[in-house]
Amino acid sequence: MPASTLSSPKPSAGERRAVRSVCVYCGSSPGVSPAYAEAAEELGRAFAKAGLRLVYGGGSVGLMGTIARATMENGGRVTGIIPRFLKDREVMLTEVDELIVTADMHERKRLMFEHSDAFVALPGGVGTLEEVVEMMTWSQLGQHDKPIILVDIAGFWSPLVDLIDHMRKQAFIRPQNEIDFHVEPTAAAVVERLVASGTSSEGVDASVIKQM
């Protein structure tokens, strides 16, 4: 895929990027801990209250279905992007207000990138891991500067953070190629991070932070 198709124009010095839509990567299963589904539901509510559009993988099962329904039930907007071959496996959620069915996974990931101003990862499996690490890689290579946030529910992402730190110590991640991402413990903290990143003008409704 040519680099030009991945590049996201960077704001000029002093300009704040408005975050209007956020891509959430998460599992198509609920996981073992009830805390994972609770976090997905909380994040969906927070997005709806903040006026943020959810962009996600289009399924109705697992954490994917939980966050999508929570967003819609609280008046939020949802874009689901799912490849044709996963329509049955991930039980496509047809109730979303925008549904895009792609030819394959490559198109799905490209459209999720293009439709989103930031990326958030809830707990999930290797697919979730691959997707958020790809966003880290594209950022590291200068293809975008959109915020990337890991929601570290019950320490779920701690092993990945430790691995990245190990790579750094072994000089496989050098200062000039640092990975720019954030780790937050709760859904409310995710929205706070988006506001703190200087993105609230024309985007996130900062007033909802006080209500969380």
Side-chain angles (χ1 to χ4, degrees), residues 16-210:
R16 299 200 295 179
R17 181 191 298 279
V19 172
R20 299 183 180 88
S21 59
V22 181
C23 178
V24 174
Y25 303 121
C26 59
S28 58
S29 298
V32 173
S33 173
Y36 301 151
E38 291 169 4
E41 187 171 352
E42 181 187 2
L43 190 59
R45 289 196 304 266
F47 280 2
K49 291 180 180 179
L52 291 169
R53 174 179 285 274
L54 168 67
V55 179
Y56 87 117
S60 66
V61 294
L63 300 186
M64 294 172 65
T66 299
I67 189 171
R69 290 190 181 92
T71 303
M72 292 187 295
E73 288 169 1
N74 287 274
R77 298 162 298 162
V78 177
T79 295
I81 304 177
I82 189 169
R84 189 173 295 109
F85 78 94
L86 284 180
K87 286 171 59 178
D88 295 330
R89 182 171 178 176
E90 293 186 349
V91 193
M92 183 173 68
L93 186 62
T94 58
E95 293 86 355
V96 298
D97 57 283
E98 182 181 25
L99 181 61
I100 301 172
V101 179
T102 66
D104 52 38
M105 287 292 289
H106 297 293
E107 184 183 12
R108 178 201 215 181
K109 293 198 292 183
R110 177 177 61 81
L111 290 178
M112 290 175 81
F113 173 80
E114 292 176 353
H115 279 69
S116 305
D117 302 312
F119 306 96
V120 172
L122 285 166
V126 292
T128 301
L129 175 64
E130 186 268 340
E131 288 170 322
V132 71
V133 169
E134 185 170 48
M135 290 302 100
M136 292 179 181
T137 304
W138 290 3
S139 174
Q140 186 185 43
L141 295 175
Q143 296 303 296
H144 76 87
D145 62 354
K146 302 176 183 181
I148 303 168
I149 304 173
L150 304 178
V151 193
D152 194 30
I153 305 302
F156 181 86
W157 290 113
S158 296
L160 175 61
V161 175
D162 290 343
L163 177 58
I164 291 173
D165 187 53
H166 176 65
M167 294 174 178
R168 190 178 292 116
K169 289 177 179 177
Q170 297 301 313
F172 287 106
I173 299 176
R174 299 181 296 279
Q176 65 270 31
N177 302 117
E178 190 53 77
I179 300 174
D180 187 13
F181 70 98
H182 305 281
V183 181
E184 298 295 351
T186 65
V190 169
V191 179
E192 287 179 3
R193 169 65 65 179
L194 294 174
V195 173
S197 297
T199 57
S200 61
S201 65
E202 303 180 31
V204 176
D205 182 357
S207 66
V208 303
I209 296 300
K210 299 178 181 178

